Amino acid sequence: RLGLLETLEAEREANDATLEEVIAALRQHGNGVDAARDLGISRDRLVWRLRQAGLTIGRVLGEDDAGRPG
């Protein structure tokens, strides 16, 4: 083993955002693309972090699943 997997995982964790940071960025920017860019993570990573907590971008932003304010 070259230790690449451990190195990649350590780098990912170092650059990861907490749930609180994700929620704050979403509320500030109003969308996942800009929030993820601001946090320095991918939008997929942002969505994954929310799903771990049982949330969606729409729920955080106060919209229903169809994108309407709820």
Side-chain angles (χ1 to χ4, degrees):
R1 296 185 96 188
L2 299 174
L4 293 176
L5 291 177
E6 292 82 4
T7 301
L8 288 172
E9 186 61 30
E11 183 69 22
R12 178 180 294 144
E13 288 179 14
N15 291 330
D16 207 3
T18 66
L19 178 61
E20 293 78 17
E21 290 170 331
V22 167
I23 290 171
L26 277 170
R27 289 181 175 156
Q28 177 184 356
H29 294 285
N31 67 74
V33 173
D34 291 337
R37 185 178 300 126
D38 184 44
L39 293 168
I41 61 174
S42 69
R43 184 181 178 281
D44 287 342
R45 189 73 173 171
L46 181 142
V47 169
W48 178 82
R49 176 63 70 203
L50 290 173
R51 286 188 181 162
Q52 283 185 311
L55 297 171
T56 64
I57 291 173
R59 284 189 183 155
V60 170
L61 296 177
E63 300 171 348
D64 66 11
D65 290 334
R68 294 180 300 263

